[in-house]
Amino acid sequence: MAAHRPVEWVQAVVSRFDEQLPIKTGQQNTHTKVSTEHNKECLINISKYKFSLVISGLTTILKNVNNMRIFGEAAEKNLYLSQLIILDTLEKCLAGQPKDTMRLDETMLVKQLLPEICHFLHTCREGNQHAAELRNSASGVLFSLSCNNFNAVFSRISTRLQELTVCSEDNVDVHDIELLQYINVDCAKLKRLLKETAFKFKALKKVAQLAVINSLEKAFWNWVENYPDEFTKLYQIPQTDLAECAEKLFDLVDGFAESTKRKAAVWPLQIILLILCPEIIQDISKEGFDENNINKKLFLDSLRKALAGHGGSRQLTESAAIACVKLCKASTYINWEDNSVIFLLVQSMVVDLKNLLFNPSKPFSRGSQPADVDLMIDCLVSCFRISPHNNQHFKICLAQNSPSTFHYVLVNSLHRIITNSALDWWPKIDAVYCHSVELRHMFGETLNKAMQGCGAHPAIRMAPSLTFKEKVTSLKFKEKPTDLETRSYKYLLLSMVKLIHADPKLLLCNPRKQGPETQSSTAELITGLVQLVPQSHMPEIAQEAMEALLVLHQLDSIDLWNPDAPVETFWEISSQMLFFICKKLTSHQMLSSTEILKWLREILICRNKFLLKNKQADRSSCHFLFLCGVGCDVPASGNSSQMSMDHDELLRTCAPGASLRKGKGNSSMDSTAGCSGTPPICRQAQTKLEVALYMFLWSPDTEAVLVAMSCFRHLCEEADIRCGVDEVSVHNFLPNYNTFMEFASVSNMMSTGRAALQKRVMALLRRIEHPTAGNTEAWEDTHAKWEQATKLILNYPKTKMEDGQAAESLHKTIVKRRMSHVSGGGSIDLSDTDSLQEWINMTGFLCALGGVCLQQRSSSGLATYSPPMGPVSERKGSMISVMSSEGNVDTPVSRFMDRLLSLMVCNHEKVGLQIRTNVKDLVGLELSPALYPMLFNKLKNTISKFFDSQGQVLLTDSNTQFVEQTIAIMKNLLDNHTEGSSEHLGQASIETMMLNLVRYVRVLGNMVHAIQIKTKLCQLVEVMMARRDDLSFCQEMKFRNKMVEYLTDWVMGTSNQAADDDVKCLTRDLDQASMEAVVSLLAGLPLQPEEGDGVELMEAKSQLFLKYFTLFMNLLNDCSEVEDENAQAGGRKRGMSRRLASLRHCTVLAMSNLLNANVDSGLMHSIGLGYHKDLQTRATFMEVLTKILQQGTEFDTLAETVLADRFERLVELVTMMGDQGELPIAMALANVVPCSQWDELARVLVTLFDSRHLLYQLLWNMFSKEVELADSMQTLFRGNSLASKIMTFCFKVYGATYLQKLLDPLLRIVITSSDWQHVSFEVDPTRLEPSESLDENQRNLLQMTEKFFHAIISSSSEFPSQLRSVCHCLYQATCHSLLNKATVKEKKENKKSVVSQRFPQNSIGAVGSAMFLRFINPAIVSPYEAGILDKKPPPRIERGLKLMSKILQSIANHVLFTKEEHMRPFNDFVKSNFDLARRFFS
């Protein structure tokens, strides 16, 4: 489409971009963010080739979005995000605009796009909370637009200037003039702007003149900052024309400045215009200067006076300060060597300027506004660049008693110095490293005051502060206006964190400090940053703190933590940080926890890089690294309160000497550290990290789950690195290493959805083998949260929280991290699906992980994971307690299972059905196999309470619901072959539970619901029997007999008289399910009557057999009758017929299983059916007989086993022969057995008849039928008929030794002989290799064939006697069965064979053809498969054997080659051997 219809394709891409904007799709997730970025990149690339189409489409989208009416905070945020995405895309498309854009495109851009951009530049003022971001983004679009379309933008500005020159109104629209502030300006463009404004300045109204003055100043700085080299070059090679324009405009502006107010307005522009005239500056610095420049000289004198406070006006002093700062700033872009005059000018003013701006006792201010932060930052940065070592003003700003504004100015100045170093002569930040101690102290004080302010005013929202106008209005704190000092501390704190992010060394540097002091200061710095991460009411600061911590974890930064002992310091400080963050995550005290988890993943990556770098460090450090992970475990949640550390505790733990004595490469920790007393912090951190990752696996946020899974990879990488130090097993560090790696690999796969991802998570949780402190604590913490959430769900909406503590517990329990689940009253909102989804995820997590928590840790296990919480007996309520087989021990897992079972009958009005459904599915499909015994026992105990002391059923709706849920759970559990389930299924018997289930369901009646429950129970019984080998039974035979007795009572047959077709269908389904269950129960089941012994017992068994057999026969008759009724019906009736066919099949199987296991007592009742006058009945008996034979009876050992007695009468029946030699039962079996089972039937019949010496009769009958049905001799035995199967089996059984002896030596010669090593047999010209000769290959093939053929015909004396009998039978079979036309007398007198009668010319050929087709040639073509060779021959030999078999088959068939051209050369050989073959066959 892109190639043939480019316009439509581009429009489609633009439409897709539009449809996936947040304003259309709602809140963005990871998937939509990725999709949006992909669409952006696609449009940016397309714009290089279809620029106009893309820009036009984006402009239309922007216009439509701007015109949307929105309601609500969420919609406002989505609108803002959509506008930012569109503007960013436009900026990048315009930046890559092709140079050959037509004039028409420029016009389009100005007419369509500029008005929309101006919408953001002029209408997004302070009232809009996103005004600054939108204005910045829009200005970027305008900047990119003006790069390649400056003429169009300039034309608009020029036109507006022209309009304003003739405008008579006082209040005019100057928005187009203000575009000067945002456009791309280089030296040439600046010259045009100056010339244009100078030409029209006088004619403009005052308002327009002021707009020009203000805008030109900003246009100048756009030029300087974007093209600094051009400005620098201006002082190397002055440009006269630019200076002339600037001088002209200077004079015009100077004339405009008639009053003090006007002077104050124009002085900043005048100093800039003067800077553009380097020659004039040079001139007025001399004693004798040009009189034309006297106004410039007077201007500078006025500046100095005003700056010194002698200007007579506060306004002029403020304007002079601004102008001097501009002068200082501009001078930094000029190399001192190029023009020293301007620096002399700066030096003459800078002292007064500093005294004015940096006076703590009298802060500089303009009018009623507080200190002008922007101006002070510019001044401080410029002064540093001019004289980096003259830092008196730095000390003033650093002083503790200085206003916080001074601190803010200093920090932001340092940040600008670090991040903006475009020119080579600008000094670097390392000149300020000497002030690191003071900066760290400032950070600590600011942090404390900001946190105290937050404590005093929690969750407040801040309005933009006048203190930081322009600079800080873009910082959005979600707080209300409050104390100015508190707000300023927060702004200062944010700036300081950004400063650490920009250059961590600035605050890490510790000149001339010892190792312990260095570590202490580093710990204090990092601990302060860590405290900021969970501050949800200061999201910008929290985000910057994370970025700063990430930079501090880079390799070069970690080395500065304590250069004397980097590894030990790293473990203590970084682990403490990890522990604190993970503790906050697990308690859900962070709103943006998913983002924090992503950040934590980056931290783990940095940690591993450092460990890898230091893996080969000195042995003492490596020994420490090893010991940090080995020797003890960490307490689970029961003792977690001991590890709850506040800021001071964090400092104490991270401080040097807390648990280690620091020194270079020195560690005082011995090999038993942590086994008694407090474990090392690194081990605590790893455990808490595991807990956090585990608990994120049940998050309703798919992205959070995937991030947590990916973090497991970095845990494993750390273990890999650490285990390599002393060559210990990786499982010493991570016992569940393998499963963690599987979690990591799954995180890279695209998930089909939230449900599928959770299913995969639970499957991996079930594979966790080893109980650890991490998974134990994660399970217990999750269980506590699950219990709270369960109570809230069950009490919704009745219960309201009683106090703030309850509300807080809910806050920690019910996630989505945005707190959207918490209503004002503190109750759960079930209308939010994420709340319930999280509860479901937690339930699945507890089910899947619960099994590993039951395992008792053996004392001989890994040292790392010896019991961390004292002896098992001392742990109150611990999951690690040993479970009794009955599950009576009161452990958290046991309590969880009890609560789950109670939820199986939850009748909550709103979510009861969802809870019941999910509990059923999770317990049945996701439960850890180790919990099966506990589940079975609890289900058994619960269901046993549904009967009174006399055994009568207590029938209630709740009990029935529980029984139905139990049936579904058991079926899912047994049907789901979960890994490891087999070893746990048999640990508790389910006999009692199953019998009680059946006893309860029996009394439910025959209503629709009752029929459905019975059907499900029958299906459960069938699944149970399929898992029979995995289950344990106390009295299996008795149990199964009782189940058969109960279930056969549910078979309705035609006794069901329901008028409703739906009920009839359900009844037939119950019949089907009952019979399928009975089939599985009867397999190998000897009947056991409840009473009777001796002869009476045999009689009772016989009567019981007759009862069941009669029931089954009646059911078969019912099926036949209903099938006849429905034969002509359609639609629904046909569906019923299909049900009946399946039911009939099950009934036949049941009869087969019944008779097979009870031949001694049942054959006497069933044998008569084989002679029943009804054809259908006889056919049924044949089917039953067939099923018995197919069940694997080994008749070849009949005489040697107990089967001889048991099946004697059955064998006689099958081999029964009629007066004319016919085999009615065997032939009937041949008719009813499906083709797929003919191989097995052939084996059984040949074995059976041969054992009775009746094989010849079997072959006679089978061959006669085959000959009758053959169309020609060539098709005889070519198909997969039963006769062919029997012949093949006979050849295989009786001819194997003969073939081995005949072919083995021949094949080995061909394969191993040196004469045949490089011989080719390929005779097809199309398959010949270039180096091969066709004639030679034909001779090779002929030579091999002749060798094999003569060996075969020479072996007639060794041909097995049994196979002679087979061939003779085929040849001599008379035509008494031929087409069933001859009379008995004719049959007796007929001396000709069947084949001779049918194919008189080819009777011998038929025998030979069958022998080679079914016996000799298959062994030649596949000697390995036939067992003659122990490995496959080479491909060239295989090809030769295949071609040879064709020639041999043609000889046997007495047919020449006609179709295959490449085989025709062998016809002479084939024809010449017809007689030899005939004599061999005879």
Side-chain angles (χ1 to χ4, degrees), residues 95 99 142-150 182-191 193 218-236 239 242 276 330 333-334 420 422-423 425-426:
K99 298 298 183 184
L142 183 56
F143 184 87
S144 297
L145 175 66
S146 62
C147 286
N148 295 314
N149 305 278
F150 180 79
Y182 309 109
I183 60 177
N184 177 278
V185 178
D186 59 14
C187 187
K189 294 172 184 175
L190 180 65
K191 197 183 305 178
L193 290 176
K218 294 184 178 177
F220 167 80
W221 289 115
N222 277 345
W223 170 52
V224 173
E225 289 169 0
N226 288 288
Y227 301 95
D229 292 341
E230 287 187 357
F231 180 68
T232 302
K233 192 175 181 180
L234 181 67
Y235 274 79
Q236 297 170 344
Q239 296 192 25
L242 178 62
L276 292 174
Y333 287 85
I334 302 169
N420 186 3
L423 300 178
W425 56 84
W426 284 355

Side-chain angles (χ1 to χ4, degrees), residues 990-1017:
I990 63 173
E991 287 179 24
T992 303
M993 178 182 67
M994 292 298 297
L995 285 171
N996 284 339
L997 284 174
V998 177
R999 287 174 57 207
Y1000 187 95
V1001 173
R1002 288 180 75 198
V1003 302
L1004 291 179
N1006 292 319
M1007 300 302 290
V1008 170
H1009 190 209
I1011 294 174
Q1012 291 172 336
I1013 295 176
K1014 289 179 180 179
T1015 302
K1016 293 174 183 175
L1017 180 54

Side-chain angles (χ1 to χ4, degrees), residues 319-352:
S319 182
I322 296 170
C324 288
V325 170
K326 305 292 183 187
L327 174 64
C328 294
K329 182 178 178 181
S331 70
T332 63
Y333 287 85
I334 302 169
N335 197 328
W336 183 280
E337 298 174 355
D338 295 333
N339 193 307
S340 60
V341 176
I342 196 168
F343 288 100
L344 293 174
L345 182 60
V346 168
Q347 293 296 339
S348 68
M349 302 181 183
V350 73
V351 175
D352 290 336

Side-chain angles (χ1 to χ4, degrees), residues 1314-1325 1328-1345 1436 1440 1443 1462 1465-1466:
S1314 58
D1315 296 338
W1316 297 88
Q1317 281 297 309
H1318 305 290
V1319 171
S1320 174
F1321 302 99
E1322 184 56 68
V1323 294
D1324 186 349
L1328 280 179
E1329 295 291 336
S1331 60
E1332 293 179 356
S1333 167
L1334 179 60
D1335 292 339
E1336 184 178 348
N1337 289 359
Q1338 289 174 347
R1339 287 194 298 271
N1340 295 336
L1341 180 58
L1342 198 59
Q1343 182 181 354
M1344 181 173 68
T1345 305
R1436 61 180 184 82
L1443 293 170
H1462 60 278
F1466 301 99

Side-chain angles (χ1 to χ4, degrees), residues 187 190-191 194 216 220 223-224 230-231 234-235 238-247 249-250 269-281 327 330 334 342:
C187 187
L190 180 65
K191 197 183 305 178
L194 293 175
L216 276 178
F220 167 80
W223 170 52
V224 173
E230 287 187 357
F231 180 68
L234 181 67
Y235 274 79
Q239 296 192 25
T240 307
D241 49 354
L242 178 62
E244 288 177 358
C245 294
E247 183 182 5
L249 189 57
F250 180 95
L269 176 63
Q270 282 186 289
I271 194 68
I272 286 171
L273 295 173
L274 194 58
I275 291 169
L276 292 174
C277 307
E279 292 180 338
I280 293 178
I281 294 176
L327 174 64
I334 302 169
I342 196 168

